Amino acid sequence: MVLAHQAILEFSTAGRGTRDITDAVAGAVRESGIACGVAHVFVQHTSCSLTITENADPDVRRDLETIVARLAPHGDPAFRHDAEGPDDMAAHARTMLTDTALTVPVGGGRLLLGTWQGIYLWEHRTAQHRRTVVVTVLG
């Protein structure tokens, strides 16, 4: 028998950059009551993404932003899609280069992340936005 629990989480972002959502996702896992399984985390947007990365040194996330900015620069004149501003297409490209979904193992009723791992919502737009994340726990 498969058990399933789903939670919808809402987050406000401050504009381009990362926001640690580990505690909120961990809370959804705890609420599920599922001891062993997987947590699938999905963001319902095309201009932000999810990532698991180091949670100890914020320079890691700043350096990742630098790398992605080189791959998908804001306001690149080669981009045609700019309906919502000069960061519009760059945000979509950054999302494609990263990911909109993650799967994390669950054991003992908790996320089995490594010592220095955290789950981050990565906003790729320059303005603040409201973002919806769906956490589905299966066990």
Side-chain angles (χ1 to χ4, degrees):
M1 177 173 167
V2 175
L3 299 175
H5 173 80
Q6 196 165 68
I8 308 294
L9 307 175
E10 297 284 334
F11 299 98
S12 291
T13 68
R16 188 169 284 161
T18 55
R19 177 179 172 159
D20 188 345
I21 64 169
T22 309
D23 288 343
V25 175
V29 169
R30 277 191 306 278
E31 287 175 13
S32 77
I34 294 172
C36 181
V38 294
H40 182 266
V41 187
F42 175 76
V43 64
Q44 294 181 310
H45 304 277
T46 61
S47 56
C48 65
S49 59
L50 298 168
T51 190
I52 294 176
T53 192
E54 180 172 330
N55 62 5
D57 184 354
D59 284 342
V60 170
R61 292 183 307 282
R62 282 191 286 272
D63 289 347
L64 289 171
E65 179 63 41
T66 298
I67 292 165
V68 173
R70 288 178 182 163
L71 296 173
H74 172 94
D76 187 322
F79 296 156
R80 294 184 209 163
H81 178 73
D82 62 358
E84 296 179 46
D87 67 332
D88 198 1
M89 188 58 222
H92 293 303
R94 289 165 180 233
T95 298
M96 186 210 58
L97 291 168
T98 52
D99 212 341
T100 57
L102 305 169
T103 302
V104 181
V106 171
R110 63 180 186 82
L111 293 168
L112 295 179
L113 291 168
T115 302
W116 306 112
Q117 289 181 319
I119 301 172
Y120 291 86
L121 173 60
W122 194 350
E123 179 62 63
H124 300 304
R125 299 299 305 267
T126 56
Q128 52 182 284
H129 282 78
R130 189 97 176 126
R131 301 304 192 177
T132 303
V133 175
V134 180
V135 179
T136 305
V137 186
L138 300 171

